[in-house]
C-alpha cells in the first residue's frame, strides 16, 4: 500500500494560483499536507525495513534510537525508552518479551538494533578476533575519541596495537605500588579530614572522598605524581583541579559530541566552563606526554627514572618499530582513558560498596571478622594479604555487578552473519539467528548482571556469590568480556581491597537516614543509578563510627567497642 501511495503522488504547480498544490488520488491538497503524507509513508518504509533487518525479532518500535539524540535525553516512558531504560526496566524488560534478546526498531531516526542480556551472545559479538563479523563502531566511543584514539575506543588491529604497548605497564610491580600508595593515601585522608580525633563522622556524599582517593591513586601509580590528599593534582595553570576538569568533561560528554562548535563558543557560563575544562585537561595531558618523553630521553633504556604505568607505556612505545608506534595524539587519548576509566569505575563502585555494607550489617561484620583474622588490629595489611581477603574483594565485586560501570557494549555487523542463540533455560542447544549487515548488537551489561539465568535473586546484594570464585575468573563479567576485559581490572581491585580493608577495620559504616526513613526507603532513594558516560550510584550519605580495641573513658574503665556496642571492662583487665 505504501508503495502505491508513492507511485500515485504527483507534484505540479497550479497555473491559476500563487500557491503550490499537489494532486493526490485526484484530490488537490496543500504542499504542507502532501509533504507530511510523504514523510509518514517514508517512516512506514523505514519501520518495515528495520523490522526486516532484525529478522522480525519481537521488541519495541520507537520513534528515536535510545542511544542518540533526541531519544537519549527524553525521559524513559512507554513510547521512548531513553538512555536509562536498561536500568529502570532491568527487572522487567526481558521478562516482558520472554526473551534474552529484544529488538529496538526506530521509525523516525536511528538504526535498528538488538539488545541482549545473554553472555553467550555477548561473547560472540564482543570477543573480537581476526574472523569476527562484528566491529566496534567509532560512533560508540565518540566522547573518548575527542581526545585521540585509545585502547577503550580502538577495535581490530588498532586495538591489538594499543594493547601490545599498554600491556607491559600493568604488572605485579605496579599492583604492589597501588597497594602501598592506597594505604598511605588512606592515612592522609584520615589526617586531612580530621577523622583521627572523632568518634563519629557524617559524610553527606561519600563520592567526595572515593573520587578523590581514586584520582590520587591513578595520579601516583599511573603517572608518578607526588601529590597528597591536601594537594591534589591541578591543571598546568593551577586554575582547576584535574578531578574537577574530569567531572565537567564527563558530565558534558553528550553536549561535546552532539553540539556544533559554534554553540559551545557562545558566552554562556556553562559553555565557558566546559571549554575551560577541555582546555585544562588537554594542556595537562600534552604536558604529561612531553614530560615522559623527556624523562625517557634523559635516562635512555635503563631502569632508572619513573616506573609508573604511563612512563612504562611511553617507554614501550618508544621501543617499538616506527610503524607500530602510537603518535602523540594516541598517547594523549590513552592518558585520558587511564585518567577517566582509572578512577571513575573504582570511585563509583567503592561508594556503592560502602552503601550496601551500611545496610547489611551482618555482611559488614563477616567481612570485618575476616580482616581481623588476616591482618589483625595493629598491623598494616601487605600486598600478600590480597589473596586471603576474598570477602573484601567479594563485596566490591557484588557492588560492581549491581552497578556495572560499562553498562553497554556496542558492536555492529560488518556483513550479513548468524548468531547462535542459546535456548531458554532448561533446554539444551542453540538456535541460529540471522543478523543483517549494519544492525547493531547492544550488549546490555545491566541486563546480564540482573539475568536470573546467571544469578539467583539478582536484585539482592549477595557477595557470597564470589567467595569461592578466583579473582581473575571470567565468571565475573562486569569488567567486560573475553580479551576486551578491562586492562585495569587488577589495578582497581587491588586499590579497592587495600582501601576497604583498612577503612572497615577502623570504622563501622551506617546509612544516614532522614527522619522516619527506613533502611529499605534509604536504599530506594539512594542506591539508584547515575548515568552519563558510565553508570554509577547516586550520592551516598554515610556515617562512620570508630572501631577500636580499647577507647579510654573518663572514669578509668576501658570500653571495648565492637560494631557500635560498648562493653565496660576494668582498666586492669588487659
Amino acid at each position: 500500500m505504501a508503495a502505491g501511495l508513492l507511485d500515485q503522488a504527483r507534484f505540479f504547480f497550479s497555473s491559476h494560483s500563487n500557491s503550490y498544490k499537489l494532486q493526490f488520488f485526484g484530490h488537490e491538497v496543500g504542499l504542507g499536507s502532501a509533504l507530511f503524507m510523504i514523510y509518514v509513508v517514508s517512516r512506514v518504509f523505514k519501520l518495515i525495513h528495520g523490522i526486516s533487518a532484525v529478522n522480525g525479532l519481537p521488541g519495541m518500535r520507537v520513534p528515536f534510537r535510545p542511544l542518540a539524540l533526541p531519544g537519549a535525553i527524553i525521559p524513559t516512558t512507554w513510547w521512548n525508552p531513553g538512555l536509562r531504560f536498561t536500568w529502570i526496566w532491568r527487572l522487567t524488560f526481558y521478562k516482558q518479551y520472554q526473551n534474552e534478546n529484544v529488538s529496538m526498531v526506530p521509525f523516525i531516526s536511528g538504526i535498528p538494533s538488538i539488545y541482549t542480556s545473554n553472555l553467550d551472545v555477548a561473547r560472540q559479538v564482543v570477543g573480537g578476533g581476526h574472523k569476527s563479523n562484528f566491529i566496534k563502531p567509532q560512533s560508540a566511543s565518540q566522547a573518548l575519541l575527542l581526545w585521540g584514539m585509545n585502547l577503550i575506543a580502538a577495535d581490530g588491529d588498532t586495538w591489538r596495537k594499543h594493547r601490545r604497548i599498554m600491556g607491559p605497564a600493568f604488572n605485579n610491580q605496579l599492583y604492589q605500588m597501588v597497594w602501598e600508595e592506597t594505604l598511605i593515601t588512606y592515612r592522609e585522608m584520615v589526617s586531612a579530614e580530621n577523622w583521627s580525633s572523632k568518634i563519629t563522622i557524617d559524610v553527606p556524599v561519600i563520592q567526595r572522598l572515593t573520587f578523590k582517593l581514586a584520582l590520587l591513586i591513578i595520579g601516583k601509580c599511573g603517572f608518578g605524581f607526588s601529590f597528597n590528599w591536601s594537594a591534589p593534582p591541578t591543571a598546568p595553570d593551577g586554575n582547576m583541579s584535574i578531578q574537577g576538569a574530569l567531572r565537567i568533561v564527563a558530565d558534558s560528554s553528550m553536549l561535546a559530541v552532539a553540539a556544533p562548535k559554534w554553540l559551545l563558543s557562545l558566552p554562556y557560563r556553562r559553555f565557558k566552563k566546559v571549554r575551560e575544562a577541555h582546555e585544562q585537561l588537554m594542556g595537562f595531558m600534552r604536558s604529561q606526554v612531553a614530560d615522559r618523553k623527556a624523562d625517557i630521553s634523559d635516562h635512555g633504556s635503563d631502569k632508572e627514572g619513573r616506573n609508573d604505568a604511563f612512563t612504562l607505556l611511553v617507554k614501550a612505545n618508544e621501543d617499538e618499530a616506527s610503524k607500530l608506534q602510537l603518535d602523540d595524539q594516541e598517547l594523549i587519548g590513552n592518558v585520558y582513558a587511564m585518567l577517566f576509566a582509572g578512577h571513575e569505575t573504582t570511585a563509583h563502585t567503592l561508594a556503592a560498596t560502602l552503601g550496601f555494607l551500611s545496610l547489611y550489617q551482618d555482611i559488614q561484620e563477616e567481612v570485618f571478622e575476616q580482616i581481623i583474622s588476616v591482618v589483625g588490629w595493629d598491623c598494616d595489611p601487605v600486598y600478600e594479604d590480597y589473596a586471603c581477603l576474598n570477602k573484601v574483594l567479594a563485596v566490591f565485586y557484588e557492588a560492581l555487578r549491581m552497578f556495572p560501570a560499562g553498562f553497554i557494549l556496542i558492536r555492529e555487523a560488518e556483513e550479513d552473519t548468524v548468531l547462535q542463540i542459546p535456548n531458554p533455560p532448561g533446554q539444551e542447544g542453540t538456535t541460529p539467528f540471522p543478523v543483517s549487515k549494519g544492525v547493531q548488537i547492544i550488549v546490555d551489561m545491566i541486563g546480564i548482571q540482573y539475568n536470573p539465568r546467571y544469578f539467583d535473586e539478582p536484585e539482592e546484594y549477595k557477595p557470597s556469590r564470589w567467595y569461592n570464585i578466583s579473582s581473575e575468573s571470567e565468571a565475573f563479567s562486569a569488567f567486560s568480556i573475553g580479551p576486551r576485559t578491562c586492562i585495569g581490572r587488577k589495578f582497581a581491585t587491588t586499590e579497592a581491597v587495600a582501601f576497604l580493608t583498612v577503612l572497615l577495620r577502623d570504622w563501622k559504616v551506617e546509612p544516614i537516614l532522614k527522619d522516619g526513613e527506613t533502611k529499605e526507603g534509604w536504599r530506594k532513594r539512594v542506591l539508584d543509578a547515575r548515568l552519563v558516560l558510565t553508570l554509577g550510584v547516586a550520592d551516598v550519605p554515610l556515617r562512620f563510627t570508630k572501631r577500636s580495641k580499647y577507647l579510654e573513658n573518663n572514669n578509668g574503665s576501658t570500653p571495648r567497642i565492637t560494631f557500635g556496642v560498648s562493653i565496660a571492662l576494668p582498666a586492669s583487665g588487659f
Side-chain angles (χ1 to χ4, degrees):
M1 177 180 176
L5 290 174
L6 288 177
D7 289 340
Q8 296 184 53
R10 303 190 308 275
F11 285 102
F12 73 98
F13 294 108
S14 173
S15 59
H16 56 275
S17 171
N18 292 328
S19 61
Y20 297 112
K21 298 292 182 181
L22 170 71
Q23 191 73 23
F24 199 80
F25 278 109
H27 299 280
E28 194 174 80
V29 297
L31 179 59
S33 299
L35 291 176
F36 176 74
M37 292 177 188
I38 292 175
Y39 177 76
V40 169
V41 171
S42 71
R43 296 307 88 187
V44 171
F45 263 117
K46 177 177 174 59
L47 180 61
I48 293 171
H49 176 76
I51 293 172
S52 175
V54 298
N55 201 36
L57 182 69
M60 296 190 72
R61 311 302 175 234
V62 296
F64 311 111
R65 185 172 186 242
L67 300 178
L69 295 177
I73 61 174
I74 299 174
T76 299
T77 62
W78 64 269
W79 59 270
N80 182 77
L83 188 62
R84 286 172 52 89
F85 88 92
T86 53
W87 172 260
I88 294 173
W89 298 340
R90 63 192 180 281
L91 300 177
T92 60
F93 182 64
Y94 297 97
K95 284 183 181 178
Q96 177 183 347
Y97 295 96
Q98 297 183 337
N99 199 326
E100 295 170 331
N101 306 280
V102 177
S103 66
M104 189 75 65
V105 181
F107 53 81
I108 291 182
S109 67
I111 61 177
S113 55
I114 296 172
Y115 281 73
T116 183
S117 63
N118 185 279
L119 261 176
D120 290 302
V121 174
R123 291 189 176 103
Q124 292 174 61
V125 301
V126 175
H130 295 286
K131 297 182 180 180
S132 175
N133 293 320
F134 293 91
I135 60 170
K136 184 174 186 177
Q138 289 199 358
S139 61
S141 304
Q142 285 179 303
L144 290 172
L145 288 171
L146 290 172
W147 308 95
M149 181 56 72
N150 57 77
L151 182 68
I152 299 174
D155 195 41
D157 290 339
T158 303
W159 176 82
R160 281 182 277 277
K161 180 177 78 168
H162 282 252
R163 181 78 183 210
R164 171 189 171 94
I165 291 173
M166 291 193 70
F170 291 83
N171 54 47
N172 279 328
Q173 183 181 0
L174 175 66
Y175 306 140
Q176 176 84 39
M177 185 195 307
V178 169
W179 186 275
E180 293 170 357
E181 290 294 344
T182 300
L183 300 184
I184 292 170
T185 305
Y186 167 75
R187 288 194 289 269
E188 291 174 354
M189 179 193 79
V190 169
S191 175
E193 299 290 331
N194 296 316
W195 284 24
S196 302
S197 60
K198 298 176 181 177
I199 302 298
T200 301
I201 298 104
D202 283 359
V203 182
V205 181
I206 193 60
Q207 284 92 330
R208 182 182 71 81
L209 301 182
T210 60
F211 268 81
K212 191 170 184 177
L213 168 85
L215 184 63
L216 285 170
I217 298 305
I218 192 64
K220 291 178 177 183
C221 303
F223 295 90
F225 299 151
S226 58
F227 300 114
N228 58 51
W229 194 270
S230 300
T234 59
D237 64 6
N239 289 335
M240 183 181 292
S241 72
I242 297 303
Q243 181 177 338
L246 275 169
R247 186 77 269 129
I248 293 170
V249 166
D251 290 345
S252 63
S253 58
M254 192 171 293
L255 182 67
V257 168
K261 290 184 178 180
W262 63 264
L263 180 64
L264 292 176
S265 66
L266 294 176
Y268 293 112
R269 182 178 179 182
R270 184 187 177 193
F271 294 165
K272 182 181 178 183
K273 208 72 175 172
V274 170
R275 291 197 306 272
E276 287 178 354
H278 276 256
E279 290 166 4
Q280 296 282 355
L281 206 51
M282 182 60 82
F284 170 79
M285 293 188 293
R286 287 182 191 204
S287 70
Q288 292 310 303
V289 171
D291 287 350
R292 292 312 184 277
K293 286 190 171 183
D295 186 68
I296 291 167
S297 177
D298 290 343
H299 293 92
S301 58
D302 59 30
K303 298 294 182 182
E304 297 178 11
R306 302 173 177 177
N307 284 308
D308 55 86
F310 186 60
T311 298
L312 294 176
L313 185 160
V314 176
K315 189 180 293 184
N317 189 54
E318 294 294 294
D319 291 342
E320 285 286 343
S322 58
K323 68 177 182 178
L324 296 175
Q325 283 186 346
L326 306 181
D327 60 32
D328 280 2
Q329 198 60 46
E330 289 175 311
L331 286 171
I332 288 171
N334 282 297
V335 174
Y336 179 75
M338 288 175 65
L339 278 172
F340 180 77
H343 91 290
E344 183 93 357
T345 298
T346 307
H348 271 307
T349 308
L350 282 173
T353 302
L354 293 171
F356 281 117
L357 291 177
S358 75
L359 290 177
Y360 300 103
Q361 293 293 317
D362 55 335
I363 297 174
Q364 186 179 163
E365 179 174 350
E366 186 178 356
V367 173
F368 170 76
E369 289 174 351
Q370 183 181 73
I371 292 169
I372 295 301
S373 70
V374 173
V375 179
W377 277 104
D378 303 315
C379 299
D380 272 348
V382 294
Y383 179 56
E384 289 70 25
D385 292 330
Y386 175 88
C388 301
L389 294 165
N390 63 309
K391 292 182 180 180
V392 183
L393 178 61
V395 297
F396 182 78
Y397 268 0
E398 182 68 350
L400 183 55
R401 180 191 72 80
M402 298 191 76
F403 287 90
F407 62 100
I408 55 169
L409 306 173
I410 304 175
R411 297 296 184 268
E412 186 173 304
E414 199 171 20
E415 58 187 54
D416 290 350
T417 187
V418 176
L419 288 173
Q420 297 299 323
I421 306 293
N423 290 330
Q427 300 179 27
E428 295 184 359
T430 61
T431 300
F433 183 84
V435 178
S436 301
K437 177 181 178 180
V439 170
Q440 289 191 349
I441 306 296
I442 313 297
V443 177
D444 177 6
M445 294 300 288
I446 300 173
I448 287 174
Q449 306 309 321
Y450 284 83
N451 188 339
R453 183 196 285 261
Y454 310 118
F455 302 105
D456 176 51
E457 296 183 299
E459 72 283 1
E460 294 299 324
Y461 182 72
K462 291 184 176 181
S464 57
R465 305 179 203 276
W466 312 109
Y467 284 180
N468 298 313
I469 301 293
S470 164
S471 62
E472 306 296 326
S473 172
E474 286 197 10
F476 186 78
S477 56
F479 274 114
S480 195
I481 300 162
R484 295 288 309 229
T485 192
C486 176
I487 195 172
R489 173 174 176 166
K490 185 68 177 288
F491 188 113
T493 57
T494 301
E495 176 185 347
V497 170
F499 178 70
L500 290 170
T501 295
V502 287
L503 180 71
L504 295 174
R505 181 183 67 177
D506 296 348
W507 303 90
K508 174 186 174 183
V509 189
E510 298 173 291
I512 298 178
L513 304 175
K514 291 184 175 181
D515 291 341
E517 187 175 42
T518 64
K519 285 188 174 182
E520 185 59 33
W522 186 91
R523 175 175 176 171
K524 289 180 180 179
R525 175 175 65 87
V526 172
L527 297 183
D528 193 14
R530 174 172 290 164
L531 196 156
V532 190
L533 275 182
T534 59
L535 183 142
V537 65
D539 293 346
V540 181
L542 295 173
R543 174 170 295 130
F544 294 86
T545 302
K546 184 175 289 184
R547 301 180 192 267
S548 179
K549 289 168 70 176
Y550 312 110
L551 286 178
E552 291 295 329
N553 65 10
N554 292 330
N555 63 12
S557 66
T558 306
R560 181 167 183 168
I561 298 183
T562 307
F563 307 113
V565 178
S566 299
I567 305 174
L569 300 170
S572 60
F574 290 87

